Amino acid sequence: LFGGGRGSTAVQCATSIGSVMWNLAYAALAINAAGNRNGPSCPPANLFGEENPKVKGIVYEISEGSCAVDIESAITSFLLVIAQLELIAVNCVDTLNVRAICGAGIDGIFAAAAGIAQAATGIWLACDTLQREPIKSLVTLARGIDINSGLITNAQTGNMGRRLSALQGFQMEGVEELKRRFATPEEAWMSLGYDLDNTSAPFRQAGLPEVDVRALAELVAEAPAAAEDKGISGLFGSQSTCNSS
């Protein structure tokens, strides 16, 4: 982080900006996989598309894993974006901002925890759920056919096919796999239908929802003395753990 002069700092600044762009694209693709109207991974469903079946079989478990991976991928990406933005506040303005460095370190802990959850879900799916018959034989057969013909990759149809393919895609390998699929973050966004180079695109005219300032203030406000006596407090307020008799 330190040393190397302005040239080194400029490289770190550019690297952090690029990381923010790639992680935002990765988060967008994960959210799209989870909620796209054409075969989303969330909410979990069985082979017949039932979201809350009475009997939850192996297909439903695979669907649960796919949904969890997508959600965890998005959370991890957003946390990494926050950490990189805090480092940008140091490198791109060439200022030793100790608070930003501290914040990036703390956020990195949360990002690592989310990444562990994502990896753990993948391990559970690959080492447990997908090792059961007849799923294991089906996956092995599908992999062999796809290696020789590319048929499955080019024509992923059906509920089961979509959920199995989701476990083999970029979601399990992270941003590095995303970089192999797309030349730039802009190209990744283009695959979702968003042309970032189009200054007159409809999404640029959508605007942002207004923030309820009063509700936000109430969320972080200190609790009044009467409420504190009852063990009630705001988000950053103190909370009583023991009551005196």
Side-chain angles (χ1 to χ4, degrees), residues 147-187:
I147 290 174
N148 294 321
S149 65
L151 179 64
I152 297 175
T153 300
N154 296 328
Q156 293 172 350
T157 58
N159 198 40
M160 183 62 179
R162 173 184 58 75
R163 299 188 187 281
L164 288 178
S165 65
L167 304 178
Q168 302 171 10
F170 68 89
Q171 301 152 313
M172 302 299 291
E173 299 190 29
V175 174
E176 292 306 315
E177 175 62 21
L178 192 67
K179 292 179 179 179
R180 288 192 286 268
R181 291 185 59 193
F182 303 103
T184 63
E186 290 84 354
E187 187 177 316

PDB file of all heavy atoms in Angstrom, residues 147-187:
ATOM      1  N   ILE A 147     -18.549 -31.928 -23.368  1.00  0.00           N
ATOM      2  CA  ILE A 147     -17.150 -31.799 -23.764  1.00  0.00           C
ATOM      3  C   ILE A 147     -16.966 -32.135 -25.235  1.00  0.00           C
ATOM      4  O   ILE A 147     -16.196 -31.480 -25.957  1.00  0.00           O
ATOM      5  CB  ILE A 147     -16.262 -32.713 -22.887  1.00  0.00           C
ATOM      6  CG1 ILE A 147     -16.209 -32.171 -21.452  1.00  0.00           C
ATOM      7  CG2 ILE A 147     -14.855 -32.828 -23.453  1.00  0.00           C
ATOM      8  CD1 ILE A 147     -15.473 -33.071 -20.483  1.00  0.00           C
ATOM      9  N   ASN A 148     -17.695 -33.147 -25.696  1.00  0.00           N
ATOM     10  CA  ASN A 148     -17.528 -33.595 -27.077  1.00  0.00           C
ATOM     11  C   ASN A 148     -18.336 -32.793 -28.095  1.00  0.00           C
ATOM     12  O   ASN A 148     -17.950 -32.692 -29.259  1.00  0.00           O
ATOM     13  CB  ASN A 148     -17.932 -35.077 -27.187  1.00  0.00           C
ATOM     14  CG  ASN A 148     -16.995 -35.981 -26.415  1.00  0.00           C
ATOM     15  OD1 ASN A 148     -15.787 -35.759 -26.397  1.00  0.00           O
ATOM     16  ND2 ASN A 148     -17.543 -36.984 -25.749  1.00  0.00           N
ATOM     17  N   SER A 149     -19.460 -32.219 -27.651  1.00  0.00           N
ATOM     18  CA  SER A 149     -20.337 -31.564 -28.620  1.00  0.00           C
ATOM     19  C   SER A 149     -20.695 -30.123 -28.283  1.00  0.00           C
ATOM     20  O   SER A 149     -21.073 -29.353 -29.163  1.00  0.00           O
ATOM     21  CB  SER A 149     -21.636 -32.371 -28.779  1.00  0.00           C
ATOM     22  OG  SER A 149     -22.359 -32.369 -27.557  1.00  0.00           O
ATOM     23  N   GLY A 150     -20.601 -29.761 -27.013  1.00  0.00           N
ATOM     24  CA  GLY A 150     -21.040 -28.429 -26.600  1.00  0.00           C
ATOM     25  C   GLY A 150     -22.549 -28.272 -26.643  1.00  0.00           C
ATOM     26  O   GLY A 150     -23.069 -27.163 -26.530  1.00  0.00           O
ATOM     27  N   LEU A 151     -23.258 -29.386 -26.780  1.00  0.00           N
ATOM     28  CA  LEU A 151     -24.700 -29.348 -26.966  1.00  0.00           C
ATOM     29  C   LEU A 151     -25.416 -28.765 -25.752  1.00  0.00           C
ATOM     30  O   LEU A 151     -26.309 -27.933 -25.882  1.00  0.00           O
ATOM     31  CB  LEU A 151     -25.220 -30.758 -27.258  1.00  0.00           C
ATOM     32  CG  LEU A 151     -26.728 -30.913 -27.464  1.00  0.00           C
ATOM     33  CD1 LEU A 151     -27.166 -30.146 -28.691  1.00  0.00           C
ATOM     34  CD2 LEU A 151     -27.105 -32.382 -27.577  1.00  0.00           C
ATOM     35  N   ILE A 152     -25.007 -29.166 -24.563  1.00  0.00           N
ATOM     36  CA  ILE A 152     -25.705 -28.738 -23.351  1.00  0.00           C
ATOM     37  C   ILE A 152     -25.425 -27.273 -23.059  1.00  0.00           C
ATOM     38  O   ILE A 152     -26.309 -26.513 -22.670  1.00  0.00           O
ATOM     39  CB  ILE A 152     -25.303 -29.633 -22.163  1.00  0.00           C
ATOM     40  CG1 ILE A 152     -25.734 -31.079 -22.432  1.00  0.00           C
ATOM     41  CG2 ILE A 152     -25.904 -29.131 -20.863  1.00  0.00           C
ATOM     42  CD1 ILE A 152     -25.290 -32.057 -21.386  1.00  0.00           C
ATOM     43  N   THR A 153     -24.179 -26.863 -23.238  1.00  0.00           N
ATOM     44  CA  THR A 153     -23.841 -25.462 -22.984  1.00  0.00           C
ATOM     45  C   THR A 153     -24.595 -24.535 -23.914  1.00  0.00           C
ATOM     46  O   THR A 153     -25.053 -23.462 -23.526  1.00  0.00           O
ATOM     47  CB  THR A 153     -22.332 -25.247 -23.172  1.00  0.00           C
ATOM     48  OG1 THR A 153     -21.631 -26.074 -22.249  1.00  0.00           O
ATOM     49  CG2 THR A 153     -21.957 -23.787 -22.913  1.00  0.00           C
ATOM     50  N   ASN A 154     -24.751 -24.954 -25.178  1.00  0.00           N
ATOM     51  CA  ASN A 154     -25.399 -24.098 -26.171  1.00  0.00           C
ATOM     52  C   ASN A 154     -26.920 -24.188 -26.139  1.00  0.00           C
ATOM     53  O   ASN A 154     -27.595 -23.363 -26.737  1.00  0.00           O
ATOM     54  CB  ASN A 154     -24.914 -24.476 -27.579  1.00  0.00           C
ATOM     55  CG  ASN A 154     -23.431 -24.220 -27.743  1.00  0.00           C
ATOM     56  OD1 ASN A 154     -22.894 -23.296 -27.143  1.00  0.00           O
ATOM     57  ND2 ASN A 154     -22.771 -25.039 -28.544  1.00  0.00           N
ATOM     58  N   ALA A 155     -27.446 -25.171 -25.454  1.00  0.00           N
ATOM     59  CA  ALA A 155     -28.908 -25.338 -25.416  1.00  0.00           C
ATOM     60  C   ALA A 155     -29.327 -25.790 -24.035  1.00  0.00           C
ATOM     61  O   ALA A 155     -29.706 -26.939 -23.818  1.00  0.00           O
ATOM     62  CB  ALA A 155     -29.359 -26.356 -26.462  1.00  0.00           C
ATOM     63  N   GLN A 156     -29.233 -24.896 -23.076  1.00  0.00           N
ATOM     64  CA  GLN A 156     -29.596 -25.219 -21.702  1.00  0.00           C
ATOM     65  C   GLN A 156     -31.081 -24.941 -21.533  1.00  0.00           C
ATOM     66  O   GLN A 156     -31.499 -23.812 -21.324  1.00  0.00           O
ATOM     67  CB  GLN A 156     -28.777 -24.376 -20.728  1.00  0.00           C
ATOM     68  CG  GLN A 156     -27.308 -24.728 -20.758  1.00  0.00           C
ATOM     69  CD  GLN A 156     -26.467 -23.762 -19.947  1.00  0.00           C
ATOM     70  OE1 GLN A 156     -26.950 -22.723 -19.515  1.00  0.00           O
ATOM     71  NE2 GLN A 156     -25.219 -24.098 -19.739  1.00  0.00           N
ATOM     72  N   THR A 157     -31.866 -25.984 -21.646  1.00  0.00           N
ATOM     73  CA  THR A 157     -33.310 -25.844 -21.552  1.00  0.00           C
ATOM     74  C   THR A 157     -33.815 -26.697 -20.417  1.00  0.00           C
ATOM     75  O   THR A 157     -33.193 -27.684 -20.023  1.00  0.00           O
ATOM     76  CB  THR A 157     -33.984 -26.295 -22.861  1.00  0.00           C
ATOM     77  OG1 THR A 157     -33.614 -27.652 -23.126  1.00  0.00           O
ATOM     78  CG2 THR A 157     -33.543 -25.411 -24.013  1.00  0.00           C
ATOM     79  N   GLY A 158     -34.997 -26.330 -19.920  1.00  0.00           N
ATOM     80  CA  GLY A 158     -35.627 -27.117 -18.866  1.00  0.00           C
ATOM     81  C   GLY A 158     -35.188 -26.679 -17.489  1.00  0.00           C
ATOM     82  O   GLY A 158     -34.099 -26.141 -17.287  1.00  0.00           O
ATOM     83  N   ASN A 159     -36.051 -26.930 -16.541  1.00  0.00           N
ATOM     84  CA  ASN A 159     -35.805 -26.492 -15.170  1.00  0.00           C
ATOM     85  C   ASN A 159     -34.577 -27.163 -14.582  1.00  0.00           C
ATOM     86  O   ASN A 159     -33.707 -26.516 -14.008  1.00  0.00           O
ATOM     87  CB  ASN A 159     -37.036 -26.810 -14.329  1.00  0.00           C
ATOM     88  CG  ASN A 159     -37.059 -26.033 -13.035  1.00  0.00           C
ATOM     89  OD1 ASN A 159     -36.704 -24.867 -13.020  1.00  0.00           O
ATOM     90  ND2 ASN A 159     -37.478 -26.677 -11.968  1.00  0.00           N
ATOM     91  N   MET A 160     -34.471 -28.485 -14.743  1.00  0.00           N
ATOM     92  CA  MET A 160     -33.345 -29.215 -14.175  1.00  0.00           C
ATOM     93  C   MET A 160     -32.039 -28.816 -14.840  1.00  0.00           C
ATOM     94  O   MET A 160     -31.014 -28.622 -14.182  1.00  0.00           O
ATOM     95  CB  MET A 160     -33.580 -30.729 -14.331  1.00  0.00           C
ATOM     96  CG  MET A 160     -32.490 -31.584 -13.712  1.00  0.00           C
ATOM     97  SD  MET A 160     -32.380 -31.327 -11.937  1.00  0.00           S
ATOM     98  CE  MET A 160     -31.056 -32.463 -11.553  1.00  0.00           C
ATOM     99  N   GLY A 161     -32.073 -28.681 -16.168  1.00  0.00           N
ATOM    100  CA  GLY A 161     -30.868 -28.295 -16.885  1.00  0.00           C
ATOM    101  C   GLY A 161     -30.357 -26.946 -16.445  1.00  0.00           C
ATOM    102  O   GLY A 161     -29.153 -26.735 -16.298  1.00  0.00           O
ATOM    103  N   ARG A 162     -31.278 -26.016 -16.209  1.00  0.00           N
ATOM    104  CA  ARG A 162     -30.866 -24.678 -15.781  1.00  0.00           C
ATOM    105  C   ARG A 162     -30.194 -24.730 -14.418  1.00  0.00           C
ATOM    106  O   ARG A 162     -29.171 -24.085 -14.180  1.00  0.00           O
ATOM    107  CB  ARG A 162     -32.074 -23.745 -15.715  1.00  0.00           C
ATOM    108  CG  ARG A 162     -31.742 -22.383 -15.120  1.00  0.00           C
ATOM    109  CD  ARG A 162     -32.992 -21.557 -14.984  1.00  0.00           C
ATOM    110  NE  ARG A 162     -34.006 -22.201 -14.162  1.00  0.00           N
ATOM    111  CZ  ARG A 162     -33.922 -22.268 -12.841  1.00  0.00           C
ATOM    112  NH1 ARG A 162     -32.898 -21.755 -12.207  1.00  0.00           N
ATOM    113  NH2 ARG A 162     -34.876 -22.858 -12.136  1.00  0.00           N
ATOM    114  N   ARG A 163     -30.757 -25.505 -13.510  1.00  0.00           N
ATOM    115  CA  ARG A 163     -30.216 -25.523 -12.159  1.00  0.00           C
ATOM    116  C   ARG A 163     -28.870 -26.236 -12.099  1.00  0.00           C
ATOM    117  O   ARG A 163     -27.999 -25.844 -11.327  1.00  0.00           O
ATOM    118  CB  ARG A 163     -31.223 -26.170 -11.202  1.00  0.00           C
ATOM    119  CG  ARG A 163     -32.523 -25.386 -11.156  1.00  0.00           C
ATOM    120  CD  ARG A 163     -33.461 -25.885 -10.092  1.00  0.00           C
ATOM    121  NE  ARG A 163     -34.747 -25.219 -10.194  1.00  0.00           N
ATOM    122  CZ  ARG A 163     -34.995 -24.011  -9.756  1.00  0.00           C
ATOM    123  NH1 ARG A 163     -34.031 -23.320  -9.199  1.00  0.00           N
ATOM    124  NH2 ARG A 163     -36.189 -23.478  -9.886  1.00  0.00           N
ATOM    125  N   LEU A 164     -28.676 -27.274 -12.894  1.00  0.00           N
ATOM    126  CA  LEU A 164     -27.377 -27.934 -12.919  1.00  0.00           C
ATOM    127  C   LEU A 164     -26.330 -27.056 -13.581  1.00  0.00           C
ATOM    128  O   LEU A 164     -25.183 -26.991 -13.136  1.00  0.00           O
ATOM    129  CB  LEU A 164     -27.481 -29.277 -13.661  1.00  0.00           C
ATOM    130  CG  LEU A 164     -28.222 -30.387 -12.925  1.00  0.00           C
ATOM    131  CD1 LEU A 164     -28.282 -31.626 -13.801  1.00  0.00           C
ATOM    132  CD2 LEU A 164     -27.561 -30.710 -11.602  1.00  0.00           C
ATOM    133  N   SER A 165     -26.710 -26.375 -14.651  1.00  0.00           N
ATOM    134  CA  SER A 165     -25.752 -25.527 -15.354  1.00  0.00           C
ATOM    135  C   SER A 165     -25.316 -24.355 -14.487  1.00  0.00           C
ATOM    136  O   SER A 165     -24.192 -23.861 -14.612  1.00  0.00           O
ATOM    137  CB  SER A 165     -26.352 -25.006 -16.654  1.00  0.00           C
ATOM    138  OG  SER A 165     -27.450 -24.146 -16.402  1.00  0.00           O
ATOM    139  N   ALA A 166     -26.182 -23.898 -13.609  1.00  0.00           N
ATOM    140  CA  ALA A 166     -25.832 -22.771 -12.744  1.00  0.00           C
ATOM    141  C   ALA A 166     -24.675 -23.118 -11.819  1.00  0.00           C
ATOM    142  O   ALA A 166     -23.914 -22.254 -11.410  1.00  0.00           O
ATOM    143  CB  ALA A 166     -27.042 -22.348 -11.914  1.00  0.00           C
ATOM    144  N   LEU A 167     -24.533 -24.425 -11.503  1.00  0.00           N
ATOM    145  CA  LEU A 167     -23.453 -24.844 -10.609  1.00  0.00           C
ATOM    146  C   LEU A 167     -22.127 -24.932 -11.333  1.00  0.00           C
ATOM    147  O   LEU A 167     -21.078 -24.996 -10.703  1.00  0.00           O
ATOM    148  CB  LEU A 167     -23.790 -26.227 -10.010  1.00  0.00           C
ATOM    149  CG  LEU A 167     -25.117 -26.306  -9.284  1.00  0.00           C
ATOM    150  CD1 LEU A 167     -25.340 -27.717  -8.781  1.00  0.00           C
ATOM    151  CD2 LEU A 167     -25.156 -25.315  -8.139  1.00  0.00           C
ATOM    152  N   GLN A 168     -22.137 -24.940 -12.656  1.00  0.00           N
ATOM    153  CA  GLN A 168     -20.917 -25.108 -13.419  1.00  0.00           C
ATOM    154  C   GLN A 168     -20.445 -23.792 -14.026  1.00  0.00           C
ATOM    155  O   GLN A 168     -19.398 -23.741 -14.654  1.00  0.00           O
ATOM    156  CB  GLN A 168     -21.144 -26.126 -14.549  1.00  0.00           C
ATOM    157  CG  GLN A 168     -21.602 -27.477 -14.045  1.00  0.00           C
ATOM    158  CD  GLN A 168     -22.020 -28.405 -15.162  1.00  0.00           C
ATOM    159  OE1 GLN A 168     -21.793 -28.109 -16.327  1.00  0.00           O
ATOM    160  NE2 GLN A 168     -22.614 -29.528 -14.819  1.00  0.00           N
ATOM    161  N   GLY A 169     -21.205 -22.710 -13.859  1.00  0.00           N
ATOM    162  CA  GLY A 169     -20.904 -21.446 -14.515  1.00  0.00           C
ATOM    163  C   GLY A 169     -19.970 -20.573 -13.713  1.00  0.00           C
ATOM    164  O   GLY A 169     -19.290 -21.003 -12.782  1.00  0.00           O
ATOM    165  N   PHE A 170     -19.965 -19.287 -14.092  1.00  0.00           N
ATOM    166  CA  PHE A 170     -19.025 -18.338 -13.495  1.00  0.00           C
ATOM    167  C   PHE A 170     -19.302 -18.099 -12.023  1.00  0.00           C
ATOM    168  O   PHE A 170     -18.437 -17.642 -11.293  1.00  0.00           O
ATOM    169  CB  PHE A 170     -19.102 -17.004 -14.245  1.00  0.00           C
ATOM    170  CG  PHE A 170     -20.399 -16.274 -14.048  1.00  0.00           C
ATOM    171  CD1 PHE A 170     -20.565 -15.382 -13.003  1.00  0.00           C
ATOM    172  CD2 PHE A 170     -21.455 -16.504 -14.899  1.00  0.00           C
ATOM    173  CE1 PHE A 170     -21.763 -14.712 -12.816  1.00  0.00           C
ATOM    174  CE2 PHE A 170     -22.652 -15.839 -14.709  1.00  0.00           C
ATOM    175  CZ  PHE A 170     -22.799 -14.948 -13.671  1.00  0.00           C
ATOM    176  N   GLN A 171     -20.492 -18.437 -11.540  1.00  0.00           N
ATOM    177  CA  GLN A 171     -20.826 -18.146 -10.154  1.00  0.00           C
ATOM    178  C   GLN A 171     -19.899 -18.872  -9.190  1.00  0.00           C
ATOM    179  O   GLN A 171     -19.628 -18.386  -8.109  1.00  0.00           O
ATOM    180  CB  GLN A 171     -22.276 -18.556  -9.879  1.00  0.00           C
ATOM    181  CG  GLN A 171     -23.267 -17.830 -10.774  1.00  0.00           C
ATOM    182  CD  GLN A 171     -24.511 -18.660 -10.994  1.00  0.00           C
ATOM    183  OE1 GLN A 171     -24.420 -19.841 -11.286  1.00  0.00           O
ATOM    184  NE2 GLN A 171     -25.656 -18.049 -10.864  1.00  0.00           N
ATOM    185  N   MET A 172     -19.433 -20.053  -9.568  1.00  0.00           N
ATOM    186  CA  MET A 172     -18.630 -20.854  -8.670  1.00  0.00           C
ATOM    187  C   MET A 172     -17.161 -20.443  -8.707  1.00  0.00           C
ATOM    188  O   MET A 172     -16.385 -20.846  -7.859  1.00  0.00           O
ATOM    189  CB  MET A 172     -18.773 -22.338  -9.035  1.00  0.00           C
ATOM    190  CG  MET A 172     -20.200 -22.852  -8.992  1.00  0.00           C
ATOM    191  SD  MET A 172     -20.936 -22.719  -7.370  1.00  0.00           S
ATOM    192  CE  MET A 172     -19.984 -23.930  -6.494  1.00  0.00           C
ATOM    193  N   GLU A 173     -16.725 -19.670  -9.706  1.00  0.00           N
ATOM    194  CA  GLU A 173     -15.320 -19.360  -9.864  1.00  0.00           C
ATOM    195  C   GLU A 173     -15.025 -17.889  -9.668  1.00  0.00           C
ATOM    196  O   GLU A 173     -13.868 -17.491  -9.625  1.00  0.00           O
ATOM    197  CB  GLU A 173     -14.840 -19.832 -11.239  1.00  0.00           C
ATOM    198  CG  GLU A 173     -14.971 -21.329 -11.445  1.00  0.00           C
ATOM    199  CD  GLU A 173     -14.278 -21.803 -12.707  1.00  0.00           C
ATOM    200  OE1 GLU A 173     -13.292 -21.169 -13.115  1.00  0.00           O
ATOM    201  OE2 GLU A 173     -14.729 -22.787 -13.283  1.00  0.00           O
ATOM    202  N   GLY A 174     -16.034 -17.062  -9.565  1.00  0.00           N
ATOM    203  CA  GLY A 174     -15.814 -15.682  -9.219  1.00  0.00           C
ATOM    204  C   GLY A 174     -15.469 -14.777 -10.369  1.00  0.00           C
ATOM    205  O   GLY A 174     -15.680 -15.086 -11.550  1.00  0.00           O
ATOM    206  N   VAL A 175     -14.875 -13.646 -10.010  1.00  0.00           N
ATOM    207  CA  VAL A 175     -14.611 -12.594 -10.982  1.00  0.00           C
ATOM    208  C   VAL A 175     -13.604 -13.037 -12.039  1.00  0.00           C
ATOM    209  O   VAL A 175     -13.682 -12.601 -13.194  1.00  0.00           O
ATOM    210  CB  VAL A 175     -14.112 -11.337 -10.244  1.00  0.00           C
ATOM    211  CG1 VAL A 175     -13.676 -10.260 -11.223  1.00  0.00           C
ATOM    212  CG2 VAL A 175     -15.216 -10.784  -9.340  1.00  0.00           C
ATOM    213  N   GLU A 176     -12.664 -13.917 -11.678  1.00  0.00           N
ATOM    214  CA  GLU A 176     -11.662 -14.352 -12.656  1.00  0.00           C
ATOM    215  C   GLU A 176     -12.314 -15.071 -13.826  1.00  0.00           C
ATOM    216  O   GLU A 176     -11.916 -14.897 -14.975  1.00  0.00           O
ATOM    217  CB  GLU A 176     -10.628 -15.255 -11.977  1.00  0.00           C
ATOM    218  CG  GLU A 176      -9.748 -14.531 -10.973  1.00  0.00           C
ATOM    219  CD  GLU A 176      -9.059 -13.323 -11.578  1.00  0.00           C
ATOM    220  OE1 GLU A 176      -8.529 -13.445 -12.703  1.00  0.00           O
ATOM    221  OE2 GLU A 176      -9.065 -12.262 -10.936  1.00  0.00           O
ATOM    222  N   GLU A 177     -13.306 -15.894 -13.541  1.00  0.00           N
ATOM    223  CA  GLU A 177     -14.036 -16.555 -14.619  1.00  0.00           C
ATOM    224  C   GLU A 177     -14.824 -15.536 -15.424  1.00  0.00           C
ATOM    225  O   GLU A 177     -14.960 -15.653 -16.646  1.00  0.00           O
ATOM    226  CB  GLU A 177     -14.978 -17.616 -14.036  1.00  0.00           C
ATOM    227  CG  GLU A 177     -15.882 -18.300 -15.067  1.00  0.00           C
ATOM    228  CD  GLU A 177     -15.100 -19.064 -16.126  1.00  0.00           C
ATOM    229  OE1 GLU A 177     -13.931 -19.401 -15.876  1.00  0.00           O
ATOM    230  OE2 GLU A 177     -15.671 -19.304 -17.207  1.00  0.00           O
ATOM    231  N   LEU A 178     -15.327 -14.508 -14.754  1.00  0.00           N
ATOM    232  CA  LEU A 178     -16.051 -13.443 -15.449  1.00  0.00           C
ATOM    233  C   LEU A 178     -15.129 -12.741 -16.440  1.00  0.00           C
ATOM    234  O   LEU A 178     -15.542 -12.410 -17.558  1.00  0.00           O
ATOM    235  CB  LEU A 178     -16.598 -12.446 -14.428  1.00  0.00           C
ATOM    236  CG  LEU A 178     -17.615 -11.418 -14.928  1.00  0.00           C
ATOM    237  CD1 LEU A 178     -18.907 -12.106 -15.337  1.00  0.00           C
ATOM    238  CD2 LEU A 178     -17.895 -10.384 -13.855  1.00  0.00           C
ATOM    239  N   LYS A 179     -13.891 -12.518 -16.058  1.00  0.00           N
ATOM    240  CA  LYS A 179     -12.933 -11.863 -16.945  1.00  0.00           C
ATOM    241  C   LYS A 179     -12.595 -12.731 -18.155  1.00  0.00           C
ATOM    242  O   LYS A 179     -12.258 -12.206 -19.222  1.00  0.00           O
ATOM    243  CB  LYS A 179     -11.658 -11.528 -16.173  1.00  0.00           C
ATOM    244  CG  LYS A 179     -11.843 -10.453 -15.118  1.00  0.00           C
ATOM    245  CD  LYS A 179     -10.542 -10.176 -14.376  1.00  0.00           C
ATOM    246  CE  LYS A 179     -10.722  -9.090 -13.331  1.00  0.00           C
ATOM    247  NZ  LYS A 179      -9.478  -8.819 -12.578  1.00  0.00           N
ATOM    248  N   ARG A 180     -12.677 -14.037 -17.989  1.00  0.00           N
ATOM    249  CA  ARG A 180     -12.424 -14.919 -19.130  1.00  0.00           C
ATOM    250  C   ARG A 180     -13.596 -14.920 -20.104  1.00  0.00           C
ATOM    251  O   ARG A 180     -13.417 -15.154 -21.299  1.00  0.00           O
ATOM    252  CB  ARG A 180     -12.132 -16.342 -18.638  1.00  0.00           C
ATOM    253  CG  ARG A 180     -10.771 -16.494 -17.981  1.00  0.00           C
ATOM    254  CD  ARG A 180     -10.416 -17.960 -17.787  1.00  0.00           C
ATOM    255  NE  ARG A 180     -11.182 -18.555 -16.702  1.00  0.00           N
ATOM    256  CZ  ARG A 180     -10.779 -18.603 -15.448  1.00  0.00           C
ATOM    257  NH1 ARG A 180      -9.618 -18.062 -15.107  1.00  0.00           N
ATOM    258  NH2 ARG A 180     -11.511 -19.178 -14.514  1.00  0.00           N
ATOM    259  N   ARG A 181     -14.784 -14.643 -19.583  1.00  0.00           N
ATOM    260  CA  ARG A 181     -15.972 -14.643 -20.440  1.00  0.00           C
ATOM    261  C   ARG A 181     -16.171 -13.318 -21.160  1.00  0.00           C
ATOM    262  O   ARG A 181     -16.654 -13.286 -22.285  1.00  0.00           O
ATOM    263  CB  ARG A 181     -17.213 -14.943 -19.599  1.00  0.00           C
ATOM    264  CG  ARG A 181     -17.289 -16.363 -19.067  1.00  0.00           C
ATOM    265  CD  ARG A 181     -18.619 -16.588 -18.357  1.00  0.00           C
ATOM    266  NE  ARG A 181     -19.750 -16.359 -19.239  1.00  0.00           N
ATOM    267  CZ  ARG A 181     -21.001 -16.251 -18.828  1.00  0.00           C
ATOM    268  NH1 ARG A 181     -21.271 -16.303 -17.531  1.00  0.00           N
ATOM    269  NH2 ARG A 181     -21.976 -16.061 -19.683  1.00  0.00           N
ATOM    270  N   PHE A 182     -15.792 -12.214 -20.505  1.00  0.00           N
ATOM    271  CA  PHE A 182     -16.022 -10.897 -21.075  1.00  0.00           C
ATOM    272  C   PHE A 182     -14.719 -10.107 -21.093  1.00  0.00           C
ATOM    273  O   PHE A 182     -13.908 -10.196 -20.176  1.00  0.00           O
ATOM    274  CB  PHE A 182     -17.074 -10.134 -20.255  1.00  0.00           C
ATOM    275  CG  PHE A 182     -18.388 -10.840 -20.142  1.00  0.00           C
ATOM    276  CD1 PHE A 182     -18.737 -11.507 -18.970  1.00  0.00           C
ATOM    277  CD2 PHE A 182     -19.286 -10.844 -21.200  1.00  0.00           C
ATOM    278  CE1 PHE A 182     -19.952 -12.168 -18.856  1.00  0.00           C
ATOM    279  CE2 PHE A 182     -20.504 -11.506 -21.092  1.00  0.00           C
ATOM    280  CZ  PHE A 182     -20.841 -12.168 -19.926  1.00  0.00           C
ATOM    281  N   ALA A 183     -14.549  -9.325 -22.157  1.00  0.00           N
ATOM    282  CA  ALA A 183     -13.326  -8.537 -22.302  1.00  0.00           C
ATOM    283  C   ALA A 183     -13.297  -7.363 -21.329  1.00  0.00           C
ATOM    284  O   ALA A 183     -12.239  -6.976 -20.838  1.00  0.00           O
ATOM    285  CB  ALA A 183     -13.184  -8.036 -23.738  1.00  0.00           C
ATOM    286  N   THR A 184     -14.456  -6.763 -21.062  1.00  0.00           N
ATOM    287  CA  THR A 184     -14.544  -5.598 -20.188  1.00  0.00           C
ATOM    288  C   THR A 184     -15.792  -5.706 -19.318  1.00  0.00           C
ATOM    289  O   THR A 184     -16.721  -6.450 -19.639  1.00  0.00           O
ATOM    290  CB  THR A 184     -14.637  -4.294 -21.011  1.00  0.00           C
ATOM    291  OG1 THR A 184     -15.849  -4.313 -21.782  1.00  0.00           O
ATOM    292  CG2 THR A 184     -13.439  -4.146 -21.935  1.00  0.00           C
ATOM    293  N   PRO A 185     -15.857  -4.938 -18.215  1.00  0.00           N
ATOM    294  CA  PRO A 185     -17.086  -4.901 -17.421  1.00  0.00           C
ATOM    295  C   PRO A 185     -18.276  -4.398 -18.237  1.00  0.00           C
ATOM    296  O   PRO A 185     -19.403  -4.855 -18.034  1.00  0.00           O
ATOM    297  CB  PRO A 185     -16.740  -3.932 -16.276  1.00  0.00           C
ATOM    298  CG  PRO A 185     -15.260  -3.977 -16.158  1.00  0.00           C
ATOM    299  CD  PRO A 185     -14.760  -4.183 -17.553  1.00  0.00           C
ATOM    300  N   GLU A 186     -18.009  -3.466 -19.153  1.00  0.00           N
ATOM    301  CA  GLU A 186     -19.093  -2.955 -19.999  1.00  0.00           C
ATOM    302  C   GLU A 186     -19.725  -4.068 -20.830  1.00  0.00           C
ATOM    303  O   GLU A 186     -20.941  -4.102 -21.041  1.00  0.00           O
ATOM    304  CB  GLU A 186     -18.564  -1.851 -20.924  1.00  0.00           C
ATOM    305  CG  GLU A 186     -18.206  -0.557 -20.224  1.00  0.00           C
ATOM    306  CD  GLU A 186     -16.811  -0.576 -19.626  1.00  0.00           C
ATOM    307  OE1 GLU A 186     -16.173  -1.651 -19.657  1.00  0.00           O
ATOM    308  OE2 GLU A 186     -16.370   0.483 -19.128  1.00  0.00           O
ATOM    309  N   GLU A 187     -18.889  -5.010 -21.297  1.00  0.00           N
ATOM    310  CA  GLU A 187     -19.406  -6.139 -22.085  1.00  0.00           C
ATOM    311  C   GLU A 187     -20.263  -7.052 -21.219  1.00  0.00           C
ATOM    312  O   GLU A 187     -21.266  -7.606 -21.685  1.00  0.00           O
ATOM    313  CB  GLU A 187     -18.234  -6.913 -22.688  1.00  0.00           C
ATOM    314  CG  GLU A 187     -18.648  -8.009 -23.663  1.00  0.00           C
ATOM    315  CD  GLU A 187     -17.455  -8.694 -24.294  1.00  0.00           C
ATOM    316  OE1 GLU A 187     -16.511  -7.977 -24.691  1.00  0.00           O
ATOM    317  OE2 GLU A 187     -17.466  -9.941 -24.381  1.00  0.00           O
TER     318      GLU A 187
END
